[in-house]
Structures are given as structure tokens and as C-alpha cells.
Amino acid sequence: MKKYTDTGKKDTRSGFGVGLLKAGQANPNVVALTADLKGSLKMDAFAAEFPERFIQCGIAEANMVGAAAGLAITGKIPFIGSFAEFVTGRVYDQIRQEVAYGCTNVKIASSHAGITLGEDGATHQTMEDIALMRALPGMVVLNPCDFNQTVQATLAAAKYNGPVYLRFGRPSVPNFTPEDEEFVIGKAIVMNPGTDVTLIATGHTVWESLLAAEALEAEGISAEVLDIATIKPLDEKAILDSLRKTGCAVVAEEHNHAGGLGEAVAGVLAAQLPRPLVFVNGEDKFGQSGTPAALMAAYGLDAAHIAEAAKKAIARK
Amino acid sequence: MQTKDQLKAISTQVRRDILRMVCMAKSGHPGGSMSSTDILVSLYFNHMNQSPATWRRDAKGQDAFILSAGHLTPVYYSTLARAGYFPVSELATFRQMGTRLQGHPSVRKQLPGVFQASGSLGQGLSAAAGIALGKKLDKENNFVFCLCGDGESEEGQIWEAGMFAVHHKLDNLIAFTDWNGQQIDGPVASVAGEGDLAAKWEAWGWRVIVADGHDFESIDQAFNLAKAGLGSGQPTMILFKSDMGHGVDFMAGTHKWHGSVPKPEQLEDALNQLGTTPLGDF
């Protein structure tokens, strides 16, 4: 089992803040917009260094999306930031027309995604955002797994010419990927090679899957862990290569079943390589108030549930 | 610069184009297109720092225009074609398979003159504000024009954009409303009771100009006054009083022609009423 060291718990949204500042330093066209969530999105450093390029929109997300599209038309590279629900569900039609159909180079910075938003409860915990963004033609969907990867994903998003949905989270979580590993859009990362089962994970569930792989190893089960940091376009080859070897898989995500990574993987396997597949996700439910860790356990998204699911998948081979 | 008589002739031709386009496509929105014809013709032929030869989507060094009321494609496409952005013969492809002249504006077919997709209402003013802000960041003094509908202004996002433009002092943003008082389901006053738009925009902090959308002198003065606002730190809203279906007696002043297509005998009657122009039909 490949060893990963948590170099100190950090929130992925802080990774975005660092990435945004670096992207801003590298390219004067990068601008940042927020709907009254500068602090929550960790945009303070960017705003302090580039006050003219930081655009406060107030609590008016729909206008923020349109204004960002307009800025993109003039050649700017706008990052719009808010909580995941408010930059997806609340403004789906604006993103569809102004950004996706309108072919504007807008980056949607989506923080506090998933159930780990925690105590604020279900109004703020979107478990549907990946489904919405995946559905849009041409939208790139990124969901990095830790602080370091989020820094790099932000830089990659800034360099990429086209709409990007960049999803990250609120809580402090282990930081374990290499600090300066270039983020390649569309590439899955084999976090741990294995032979008995593939654990396909994205975002916060990558670390949980590594913990699950460790627990499985202690029971003599060899689990391959794939980090799907790009959900769209999906690295089908990496998934098929792994499944040809292991013969079964678990897909773990902090998102509901409908339209999530699990369904995307199921589509690939059903069409090209039918194999036993077990889903670990929020199913068809809303969240509730609680600490991030308690919610991950209660909704069955933690390492223990992933390891359990792996055994089910193996049993169905 | 076009004279008043030249503008009149172009507007008549554009109204002929609008009716012929929607009849050929058997769909489209003639009513609001005809109420905003004189405004758009005046804008494109006499007031915008824009030309087909230099057009580019990023509008560097030139004015930009956003059609927020995206269903007004008949008047938009005809005006663009008559101004030379693409061949007038292409107007015959309106709403047909494969056309660059999509039912609502699209940037996907790269039709010269179109800066942004629109059609889902209430969004264009935000995009226009974003372009205006981009020009401010680039220290450019060019204008961004944006056409909104009065029915469209029932959308909350219009007012979000209104707040944003004032807060960011976008005095290079000139929005104008085709204040024809009609929307699909009936007169605006009976559908949503929008009230006094002038008072509302003033309260929002905009410079407000009320003008006659069918009088070229009034339109001319309104645009000149709007442009004089550069440096004031305030965006400008021109409210153009207009008639839906203007120019054809049986179409004028009623919501019924918002999205209806004249029958062949009605088309003939309408074209006779408008008369011909030296520009000729497409």
C-alpha cells in the first residue's frame, strides 16, 4: 500500500484562495467576483493584492454570473465564487445561457460543496451540483481532493480556455497530495495500485478511500484507488484499465446518486465493460445539520462504509 | 450619419424584413421587433461606434450591444444585415435548420455583430454591465448599449444588474427599454402592474431619460444625452415609449402580435401599408 502522509489538515477552499492569488499574479486578466462571500471563499488575499480586479457583487448571484460572462467577453478570466448551491442550483439558467451556451471563459468557484458544509443544514448543502453541471454541454467539472490539489486545479482552470466548474469544500481535511503536482484536466490519478477492487473516488472521499484501502489491506484485500479529480471529461480509459485488472468497483462521492460520478462510471461500464459496481453516495436524500465528520458517517460516506462496499463488490464478482 | 429621411427609409425596410422573415419562418416575434425598429436603426446607423469591418466579439476599442430581450431577433438581424454585418440575403434563413440566424441570438454560429447569447429573459443587462466593467478595467471609454423589454423588466435579475451598475459607477452603460406596454399575456399593466418605470430606475440611482421611440429626433436627443453621462459615474436608462407592431394598423398597440405570424393576406396588407423603399427586399 502506497503511504500518504497528512501534512496538516487544511480546507480545500483555502487551496482555492492560494490558487486564485497565484493565477492572478501569473495573468493580469484574472478577476474574481463574489456574492458577499469573500471571506468564506478565501478571496481576501486576491482582493488585497488586486483591489481593482476584485468585484463585489452583493447577494445577487444571478447578476454575478451575467456580469462575469460580460467580463469574459472583454477578455477577462473571471472566477465567480459562492457556496455550491448558490453558484449552481440558484443560477442554473444563467450558467446555461451566459456561460455554457454563451461560450464564455468563466470559472465557477463552488465552495462548501456537499454534506460537509455541516451545521448550516440542507438549504446550504448541495448534493446535486455535479449532476447539474455535468448536464451542461462543454462544461468541465473539477472536484479536487485536498488543499494542494485544489491550488493546482485552480491554476489549471485559469489556464484552460472555456467554462469550468471547480468544486471544493469547507472543512479542514487531510492534505496529502504532492505540493507542486501539475493538475491535468481530464486525467484520473492512480493513488494506490491494487488488484481485487477499484475504489473510484472524488473530492473528500479520496482520503476516505485511501483509509478504506488500508483497512482492506489488513484483511488481505488489495484495493486500487482512483482519484477522479476531473469528473467531466471523464477519464474513461483509466477507469476501464483499472476494472480490467480488478474486475469490480466502488464509486464513492459526496453527492447524491442522480447524475453523480457513480452514474457516470456506471454508464461507461454498462456500455463497455459490465462489472459489479457498488455505489457509496447520498442516495436520494437531503442533508441536515451536524458536524462534517458526523454527517459523513451518518450518510454512509466514510472509510468504513467504503470498505464495506468494496467487500460487497468483490462478493458479486 | 444618416439623415432623418434615410433613417425612415431604413426603418421601413427593416419592418418589411421583419414581417417577411417571420412569415417565411412561420414563427418569430414581430410585435416588439416593430416597436423597437426606429430605436435600433437609429442606434446602429447613427450612434454606435461599431462597424462590420472592425467588429469583434470582445469589442476592443469599440462600442458593444446586447439584446437582452432576445426574442427581438427579427429587428436585430435585419438591422445588422442592413448595416452590412452579413448579407441581407441571409435573412431568408431565419430560424431554418443550420442557420446562423437562430431563433434567439447565438454566438455558436459566429454571426458577426452578436456579442452574447440571449433569450432567457432578464440576463442581458448583467452581461452588458460586465462588458462595461471590463472596459473600465481596460481604461476604455467606449459604450455598452443594452435593449431590454418592459415585460422583461419583471425579471428580478434586471434590478440586480441595476444595483450592480450603479454601485460600480458604470457610466459607460446605456440601457434602453422598449416601453411598449405589452407582453405575451396582455398589457403589462394587467399582467404584472410594473408601475412607473421612470420612478423606479431613478430610485435605483440611474440617470433616466424618457423619449419617443418612434420620433427620430427624440431618439437622437436621448442617445446624445445618454452619452453625455460619461463621467457622471451613473449608468443611463432611456425609456422609449413605443407601440407594439408600429407601422401596420392592425398590428399596432396590441399584445396579440408579440409572437404571432401574419397570414398571407395580412402580410400583403401590411407590406402595402409600409410601402417599398429603394433598399429593396431581401
Side-chain angles (χ1 to χ4, degrees):
Chain A
M1 171 90 199
K2 200 171 162 186
K3 278 286 161 209
Y4 285 92
T5 310
D6 173 12
T7 59
K9 285 192 163 54
K10 282 183 174 179
D11 47 357
T12 50
R13 59 184 163 139
S14 287
F16 166 69
V18 169
L20 178 67
L21 179 62
K22 286 186 177 186
Q25 289 162 341
N27 188 336
N29 284 323
V30 171
V31 297
L33 297 83
T34 188
D36 197 32
L37 286 173
K38 177 173 70 164
S40 296
L41 267 286
K42 304 293 178 187
M43 289 176 163
D44 304 270
F46 182 94
E49 189 158 332
F50 307 110
E52 276 198 355
R53 288 155 56 191
F54 171 74
I55 297 142
Q56 178 59 262
C57 296
I59 310 168
E61 293 84 3
N63 175 67
M64 175 169 71
V65 175
L71 283 159
I73 288 169
T74 69
K76 306 296 173 209
I77 304 170
F79 281 78
I80 56 169
S82 184
F83 292 162
E85 169 56 21
F86 309 144
V87 281
T88 59
R90 189 182 180 94
V91 291
Y92 180 75
D93 184 47
Q94 282 78 11
I95 292 174
R96 182 176 181 273
Q97 175 168 285
E98 300 295 325
V99 179
Y101 183 61
C103 307
T104 54
N105 193 19
V106 175
K107 318 301 172 184
I108 302 157
S110 169
S111 186
H112 296 53
I115 204 142
T116 53
L117 173 139
E119 293 81 350
D120 279 349
T123 53
H124 288 50
Q125 293 160 332
T126 181
M127 295 284 273
E128 310 94 54
D129 58 315
I130 292 171
L132 290 173
M133 294 299 107
R134 268 186 70 217
L136 290 169
M139 181 66 75
V140 166
V141 179
L142 308 181
N143 189 29
C145 66
D146 71 353
F147 174 94
N148 286 343
Q149 198 175 68
T150 307
V151 174
Q152 297 299 322
T154 306
L155 292 169
K159 280 185 193 157
Y160 175 83
N161 184 23
V164 175
Y165 179 64
L166 175 61
R167 182 193 214 236
F168 45 90
R170 173 190 170 228
S172 290
V173 292
N175 187 28
F176 55 96
T177 62
E179 197 177 341
D180 291 319
E181 190 167 70
E182 191 192 348
F183 188 99
V184 183
I185 290 174
K187 275 277 171 220
I189 301 159
V190 180
M191 300 297 290
N192 185 59
T195 52
D196 299 330
V197 60
T198 305
L199 307 181
I200 300 172
T202 184
H204 290 148
T205 59
V206 173
W207 178 255
E208 298 297 325
S209 295
L210 288 169
L211 293 180
E214 248 177 45
L216 290 166
E217 190 183 40
E219 297 181 44
I221 297 169
S222 166
E224 179 146 305
V225 179
L226 281 190
D227 171 10
I228 307 293
T230 306
I231 292 175
K232 187 181 173 184
L234 188 61
D235 190 346
E236 297 188 6
K237 184 179 179 301
I239 291 166
L240 293 168
D241 285 350
S242 181
L243 266 288
R244 278 193 193 96
K245 189 169 59 171
T246 63
C248 69
V250 172
V251 184
E253 61 188 315
E254 193 186 339
H255 186 272
N256 277 353
H257 184 73
L261 176 62
E263 281 196 349
V265 171
V268 173
L269 296 184
Q272 300 179 57
L273 187 74
R275 292 291 182 271
L277 188 58
V278 178
F279 302 107
V280 170
N281 56 42
E283 299 171 0
D284 191 35
K285 297 178 208 156
F286 285 109
Q288 58 180 303
S289 293
T291 63
L295 287 162
M296 287 289 273
Y299 283 77
L301 306 174
D302 60 2
H305 287 88
I306 295 167
E308 209 53 44
K311 288 179 202 167
K312 279 185 200 158
I314 292 167
R316 282 172 46 200
K317 275 209 265 190
Chain B
M1 286 291 279
Q2 306 287 315
T3 64
K4 211 161 86 178
D5 285 344
Q6 286 170 318
L7 290 175
K8 259 186 187 162
I10 298 165
S11 283
T12 297
Q13 189 58 54
V14 168
R15 285 193 172 90
R16 290 181 67 88
D17 290 348
I18 291 166
L19 291 167
R20 295 182 67 244
M21 285 164 75
V22 300
C23 286
M24 286 168 87
K26 298 188 176 61
S27 68
H29 298 82
S33 288
M34 291 164 79
S35 61
S36 53
T37 297
D38 301 321
I39 308 162
L40 220 54
V41 164
S42 179
L43 176 68
Y44 265 87
F45 283 85
N46 277 358
H47 284 284
M48 258 175 93
N49 174 18
Q50 250 292 318
S51 82
T54 59
W55 182 83
R56 43 192 283 178
R57 192 187 176 195
D58 66 10
K60 284 271 180 275
Q62 47 197 292
D63 293 350
F65 170 74
I66 297 285
L67 182 71
S68 193
H71 54 287
L72 303 181
T73 41
V75 65
Y76 188 28
Y77 294 154
S78 168
T79 303
L80 286 174
R82 295 290 167 185
Y85 284 81
F86 53 85
V88 291
S89 59
E90 202 170 339
L91 295 174
T93 70
F94 178 56
R95 288 182 168 238
Q96 309 288 339
M97 274 298 296
T99 184
R100 298 198 290 179
L101 279 57
Q102 293 288 299
H104 292 80
S106 171
V107 294
R108 299 221 154 214
K109 309 273 182 182
Q110 301 181 338
L111 184 67
V114 176
F115 293 93
Q116 177 62 325
S118 59
S120 177
L121 292 175
Q123 301 184 22
L125 189 56
S126 299
I131 298 173
L133 181 55
K135 289 189 172 296
K136 289 275 179 198
L137 291 173
D138 290 339
K139 315 277 183 231
E140 264 192 39
N141 271 331
N142 295 104
F143 290 103
V144 183
F145 296 91
C146 179
L147 169 52
C148 302
D150 52 355
E152 181 192 18
S153 301
E154 289 155 19
E155 293 279 6
Q157 191 182 338
I158 289 285
W159 304 96
E160 288 186 11
M163 221 178 331
F164 178 85
V166 169
H167 184 76
H168 291 282
K169 300 185 168 56
L170 302 179
D171 55 14
N172 55 342
L173 175 62
I174 299 174
F176 51 101
T177 301
D178 179 29
W179 200 0
N180 61 29
Q182 308 291 335
Q183 58 189 106
I184 302 180
D185 276 358
V188 172
S190 75
V191 174
E194 208 166 60
D196 185 349
L197 281 179
K200 286 184 175 172
W201 283 108
E202 261 163 21
W204 236 237
W206 285 54
R207 297 170 74 237
V208 176
I209 299 165
V210 179
D212 181 339
H214 299 303
D215 176 334
F216 286 108
E217 251 169 60
S218 180
I219 296 168
D220 199 44
Q221 282 170 5
F223 279 128
N224 283 334
L225 195 55
K227 288 195 256 188
L230 194 65
S232 70
Q234 279 178 290
T236 300
M237 169 61 74
I238 310 172
L239 298 165
F240 283 116
K241 290 192 168 162
S242 63
D243 297 318
M244 186 167 268
H246 185 83
V248 174
D249 58 8
F250 63 87
M251 298 180 80
T254 167
H255 67 277
K256 289 178 182 145
W257 291 96
H258 167 90
S260 307
V261 179
K263 297 186 178 81
E265 60 275 17
Q266 288 175 316
L267 175 65
E268 201 185 330
D269 182 4
L271 293 178
N272 283 336
Q273 286 186 38
L274 289 168
T276 55
T277 80
L279 298 166
D281 290 334
F282 63 83

